[in-house]
mmCIF file with all atom_site columns, all heavy atoms in Angstrom:
data_model
loop_
_atom_site.group_PDB
_atom_site.id
_atom_site.type_symbol
_atom_site.label_atom_id
_atom_site.label_alt_id
_atom_site.label_comp_id
_atom_site.label_asym_id
_atom_site.label_entity_id
_atom_site.label_seq_id
_atom_site.pdbx_PDB_ins_code
_atom_site.Cartn_x
_atom_site.Cartn_y
_atom_site.Cartn_z
_atom_site.occupancy
_atom_site.B_iso_or_equiv
_atom_site.pdbx_formal_charge
_atom_site.auth_seq_id
_atom_site.auth_comp_id
_atom_site.auth_asym_id
_atom_site.auth_atom_id
_atom_site.pdbx_PDB_model_num
ATOM   1  N  N   . ALA A 1 14  ? -5.922  -41.859 -93.514  1.00 99.00 ? 14  ALA A N   1
ATOM   2  C  CA  . ALA A 1 14  ? -7.366  -41.452 -93.974  1.00 99.00 ? 14  ALA A CA  1
ATOM   3  C  C   . ALA A 1 14  ? -7.237  -41.163 -95.362  1.00 99.00 ? 14  ALA A C   1
ATOM   4  O  O   . ALA A 1 14  ? -7.095  -40.067 -95.727  1.00 99.00 ? 14  ALA A O   1
ATOM   5  C  CB  . ALA A 1 14  ? -7.888  -40.306 -93.108  1.00 99.00 ? 14  ALA A CB  1
ATOM   6  N  N   . GLY A 1 17  ? -11.790 -39.915 -97.613  1.00 98.00 ? 17  GLY A N   1
ATOM   7  C  CA  . GLY A 1 17  ? -12.729 -38.880 -97.115  1.00 98.00 ? 17  GLY A CA  1
ATOM   8  C  C   . GLY A 1 17  ? -14.012 -39.043 -97.993  1.00 98.00 ? 17  GLY A C   1
ATOM   9  O  O   . GLY A 1 17  ? -14.038 -39.957 -98.903  1.00 98.00 ? 17  GLY A O   1
ATOM   10 N  N   . ALA A 1 18  ? -14.899 -38.138 -97.702  1.00 98.00 ? 18  ALA A N   1
ATOM   11 C  CA  . ALA A 1 18  ? -16.169 -38.078 -98.433  1.00 98.00 ? 18  ALA A CA  1
ATOM   12 C  C   . ALA A 1 18  ? -16.407 -36.860 -99.397  1.00 98.00 ? 18  ALA A C   1
ATOM   13 O  O   . ALA A 1 18  ? -17.250 -36.885 -100.199 1.00 98.00 ? 18  ALA A O   1
ATOM   14 C  CB  . ALA A 1 18  ? -17.303 -38.141 -97.488  1.00 98.00 ? 18  ALA A CB  1
ATOM   15 N  N   . HIS A 1 51  ? -8.543  -45.477 -92.059  1.00 99.00 ? 51  HIS A N   1
ATOM   16 C  CA  . HIS A 1 51  ? -9.863  -44.979 -91.837  1.00 99.00 ? 51  HIS A CA  1
ATOM   17 C  C   . HIS A 1 51  ? -10.512 -44.893 -93.198  1.00 99.00 ? 51  HIS A C   1
ATOM   18 O  O   . HIS A 1 51  ? -10.054 -44.190 -94.123  1.00 99.00 ? 51  HIS A O   1
ATOM   19 C  CB  . HIS A 1 51  ? -9.672  -43.573 -91.282  1.00 99.00 ? 51  HIS A CB  1
ATOM   20 C  CG  . HIS A 1 51  ? -10.996 -42.709 -91.212  1.00 99.00 ? 51  HIS A CG  1
ATOM   21 N  ND1 . HIS A 1 51  ? -11.867 -42.758 -90.255  1.00 99.00 ? 51  HIS A ND1 1
ATOM   22 C  CD2 . HIS A 1 51  ? -11.376 -41.822 -92.117  1.00 99.00 ? 51  HIS A CD2 1
ATOM   23 C  CE1 . HIS A 1 51  ? -12.832 -41.968 -90.424  1.00 99.00 ? 51  HIS A CE1 1
ATOM   24 N  NE2 . HIS A 1 51  ? -12.561 -41.358 -91.553  1.00 99.00 ? 51  HIS A NE2 1
ATOM   25 N  N   . HIS A 1 53  ? -13.489 -44.547 -96.116  1.00 98.00 ? 53  HIS A N   1
ATOM   26 C  CA  . HIS A 1 53  ? -14.689 -44.006 -96.761  1.00 98.00 ? 53  HIS A CA  1
ATOM   27 C  C   . HIS A 1 53  ? -14.787 -44.743 -98.096  1.00 98.00 ? 53  HIS A C   1
ATOM   28 O  O   . HIS A 1 53  ? -13.797 -44.678 -98.800  1.00 98.00 ? 53  HIS A O   1
ATOM   29 C  CB  . HIS A 1 53  ? -14.672 -42.529 -96.909  1.00 98.00 ? 53  HIS A CB  1
ATOM   30 C  CG  . HIS A 1 53  ? -14.805 -41.632 -95.768  1.00 98.00 ? 53  HIS A CG  1
ATOM   31 N  ND1 . HIS A 1 53  ? -15.986 -41.086 -95.398  1.00 98.00 ? 53  HIS A ND1 1
ATOM   32 C  CD2 . HIS A 1 53  ? -13.855 -41.225 -94.781  1.00 98.00 ? 53  HIS A CD2 1
ATOM   33 C  CE1 . HIS A 1 53  ? -15.792 -40.284 -94.304  1.00 98.00 ? 53  HIS A CE1 1
ATOM   34 N  NE2 . HIS A 1 53  ? -14.476 -40.436 -93.944  1.00 98.00 ? 53  HIS A NE2 1
ATOM   35 N  N   . SER A 1 86  ? -15.736 -45.322 -91.430  1.00 99.00 ? 86  SER A N   1
ATOM   36 C  CA  . SER A 1 86  ? -16.192 -43.987 -91.014  1.00 99.00 ? 86  SER A CA  1
ATOM   37 C  C   . SER A 1 86  ? -17.661 -44.172 -90.730  1.00 99.00 ? 86  SER A C   1
ATOM   38 O  O   . SER A 1 86  ? -18.348 -44.740 -91.666  1.00 99.00 ? 86  SER A O   1
ATOM   39 C  CB  . SER A 1 86  ? -15.984 -43.011 -92.183  1.00 99.00 ? 86  SER A CB  1
ATOM   40 O  OG  . SER A 1 86  ? -16.765 -41.906 -91.899  1.00 99.00 ? 86  SER A OG  1
ATOM   41 N  N   . GLY A 1 89  ? -19.424 -40.575 -92.648  1.00 98.00 ? 89  GLY A N   1
ATOM   42 C  CA  . GLY A 1 89  ? -19.898 -40.695 -94.121  1.00 98.00 ? 89  GLY A CA  1
ATOM   43 C  C   . GLY A 1 89  ? -19.800 -39.229 -94.626  1.00 98.00 ? 89  GLY A C   1
ATOM   44 O  O   . GLY A 1 89  ? -18.839 -38.486 -94.379  1.00 98.00 ? 89  GLY A O   1
ATOM   45 N  N   . SER A 1 110 ? -15.187 -44.746 -86.552  1.00 99.00 ? 110 SER A N   1
ATOM   46 C  CA  . SER A 1 110 ? -15.241 -43.252 -85.997  1.00 99.00 ? 110 SER A CA  1
ATOM   47 C  C   . SER A 1 110 ? -16.487 -42.884 -85.275  1.00 99.00 ? 110 SER A C   1
ATOM   48 O  O   . SER A 1 110 ? -17.530 -43.546 -85.689  1.00 99.00 ? 110 SER A O   1
ATOM   49 C  CB  . SER A 1 110 ? -14.847 -42.286 -87.178  1.00 99.00 ? 110 SER A CB  1
ATOM   50 O  OG  . SER A 1 110 ? -15.778 -42.465 -88.119  1.00 99.00 ? 110 SER A OG  1
ATOM   51 N  N   . ARG A 1 228 ? -2.696  -39.011 -87.323  1.00 99.00 ? 228 ARG A N   1
ATOM   52 C  CA  . ARG A 1 228 ? -3.505  -39.418 -88.541  1.00 99.00 ? 228 ARG A CA  1
ATOM   53 C  C   . ARG A 1 228 ? -3.126  -38.504 -89.588  1.00 99.00 ? 228 ARG A C   1
ATOM   54 O  O   . ARG A 1 228 ? -2.988  -37.210 -89.478  1.00 99.00 ? 228 ARG A O   1
ATOM   55 C  CB  . ARG A 1 228 ? -5.047  -39.236 -88.166  1.00 99.00 ? 228 ARG A CB  1
ATOM   56 C  CG  . ARG A 1 228 ? -5.904  -39.409 -89.477  1.00 99.00 ? 228 ARG A CG  1
ATOM   57 C  CD  . ARG A 1 228 ? -7.367  -39.352 -89.065  1.00 99.00 ? 228 ARG A CD  1
ATOM   58 N  NE  . ARG A 1 228 ? -8.091  -38.619 -90.012  1.00 99.00 ? 228 ARG A NE  1
ATOM   59 C  CZ  . ARG A 1 228 ? -9.420  -38.474 -90.219  1.00 99.00 ? 228 ARG A CZ  1
ATOM   60 N  NH1 . ARG A 1 228 ? -10.108 -39.261 -89.448  1.00 99.00 ? 228 ARG A NH1 1
ATOM   61 N  NH2 . ARG A 1 228 ? -9.876  -37.655 -91.019  1.00 99.00 ? 228 ARG A NH2 1
ATOM   62 N  N   . GLU A 1 232 ? -7.597  -37.465 -97.284  1.00 98.00 ? 232 GLU A N   1
ATOM   63 C  CA  . GLU A 1 232 ? -8.909  -36.932 -96.551  1.00 98.00 ? 232 GLU A CA  1
ATOM   64 C  C   . GLU A 1 232 ? -8.709  -35.584 -95.998  1.00 98.00 ? 232 GLU A C   1
ATOM   65 O  O   . GLU A 1 232 ? -9.565  -34.780 -96.103  1.00 98.00 ? 232 GLU A O   1
ATOM   66 C  CB  . GLU A 1 232 ? -9.471  -37.992 -95.614  1.00 98.00 ? 232 GLU A CB  1
ATOM   67 C  CG  . GLU A 1 232 ? -10.671 -37.339 -94.939  1.00 98.00 ? 232 GLU A CG  1
ATOM   68 C  CD  . GLU A 1 232 ? -11.552 -38.419 -94.070  1.00 98.00 ? 232 GLU A CD  1
ATOM   69 O  OE1 . GLU A 1 232 ? -11.332 -39.626 -94.247  1.00 98.00 ? 232 GLU A OE1 1
ATOM   70 O  OE2 . GLU A 1 232 ? -12.333 -38.000 -93.293  1.00 98.00 ? 232 GLU A OE2 1
HETATM 71 ZN ZN1 . ZN  B 2 .   ? -13.552 -39.536 -92.263  1.00 70.30 ? 302 ZN  B ZN1 1
#
Side-chain angles (χ1 to χ4, degrees):
H51 167 86
H53 287 257
S86 167
S110 56
R228 171 173 134 170
E232 172 169 346

